[in-house]
Amino acid sequence: TPIYKRVLQAMMPYFTTHFGNPSSSHYYGQEPKEAIAKARMSILSLLYENRDRHVVSAEYQNGVIFTGCGTEADNLAIHLALEANRQRFEDYNTWDQNEDLSSSSFTTPRIPHIITSNVEHPAIAQYLKALESEGRVTVTYVPVDKEGIVPAEEMKRAIDDNQDNTILVTLMLANNESGALQPVKEIADYCKTKKNG
């Protein structure tokens, strides 16, 4: 896909003149560092346009992470969901080493659960399959209907059936092969009503 013309124009100074490492402290890194900070603030302003100005203050800038590609961004989002919930599952899965594991009082360890569709982009689907094969997550793959759309009620049912362990519901807005638009807003709104948020 060719780069959008306005994006190319905005980036040209950093491809040709101000190409220093923005993480370094030397002079050549200062201009790119300022540009990245400005880009983060622009994104935050778009996301929180109806909120008070303090919401998009400097303390929120590190919440905007730039990645090299969509696959990296997808994998990072899943990784961060796992990390954000790690303590919850570690606390539950801690037991006394002297406990009789065959006793009825022993609780089966819980692992994080993720819900997605059976036509999710390979960047998501392959990473989830890898996590499943490592025993790090369980995944529910909700099938699409004959039009290639995930029925919202089926997604909601999967959320309700696995509410205690579900840490993430991931669903692409538009299928990259068929163009089918998924009911993301309806499902996101439903997720917001759940106790784990």
Side-chain angles (χ1 to χ4, degrees):
T1 306
I3 192 167
Y4 188 60
K5 192 178 235 180
R6 287 179 58 194
V7 172
L8 180 60
Q9 289 170 343
M11 289 302 299
M12 282 308 289
Y14 307 100
F15 291 149
T16 58
T17 307
H18 306 293
F19 48 80
N21 181 345
S23 299
S24 63
S25 58
H26 60 68
Y27 171 78
Y28 292 106
Q30 296 310 300
E31 184 80 24
K33 183 176 186 170
E34 289 174 19
I36 289 173
K38 184 178 175 185
R40 283 192 171 112
M41 290 300 287
S42 294
I43 290 168
L44 286 169
S45 294
L46 288 171
L47 294 173
Y48 298 106
E49 66 181 338
N50 296 324
R51 299 231 180 133
D52 294 334
R53 186 74 186 148
H54 78 276
V55 172
V56 292
S57 66
E59 67 184 280
Y60 289 87
Q61 284 191 32
N62 289 335
V64 176
I65 300 171
F66 295 107
T67 60
C69 63
T71 298
E72 184 182 356
D74 289 343
N75 285 219
L76 180 62
I78 295 168
H79 174 76
L80 291 175
L82 286 167
E83 282 300 304
N85 288 277
R86 180 170 40 142
Q87 191 65 50
R88 179 167 64 118
F89 287 91
E90 284 178 356
D91 289 348
Y92 182 87
N93 293 330
T94 302
W95 63 84
D96 182 346
Q97 296 210 351
N98 296 320
E99 184 177 0
D100 180 6
L101 300 183
S102 63
S103 77
S104 59
S105 65
F106 176 71
T107 306
T108 304
R110 287 181 13 198
I111 60 173
H113 181 257
I114 296 173
I115 300 169
T116 191
S117 78
N118 67 337
V119 294
E120 195 63 24
H121 191 279
I124 295 284
Q126 291 175 4
Y127 188 41
L128 293 180
K129 294 276 186 204
L131 291 171
E132 276 185 297
S133 71
E134 295 169 3
R136 294 179 57 199
V137 300
T138 59
V139 181
T140 297
Y141 297 91
V142 179
V144 296
D145 62 18
K146 62 184 177 183
E147 277 108 36
I149 299 171
V150 177
E153 292 307 314
E154 293 299 317
M155 288 293 282
K156 292 175 185 178
R157 187 173 298 112
I159 292 165
D160 289 340
D161 289 350
N162 300 285
Q163 187 170 325
D164 290 340
N165 291 354
T166 298
I167 62 162
L168 180 67
V169 176
T170 176
L171 184 64
M172 65 171 62
L173 177 60
N175 185 280
N176 59 308
E177 299 291 329
S178 69
L181 296 177
Q182 304 300 338
V184 171
K185 182 171 182 346
E186 182 179 351
I187 294 164
D189 289 344
Y190 189 73
C191 288
K192 291 175 188 175
T193 68
K194 299 294 139 187
K195 69 177 182 179
N196 293 332

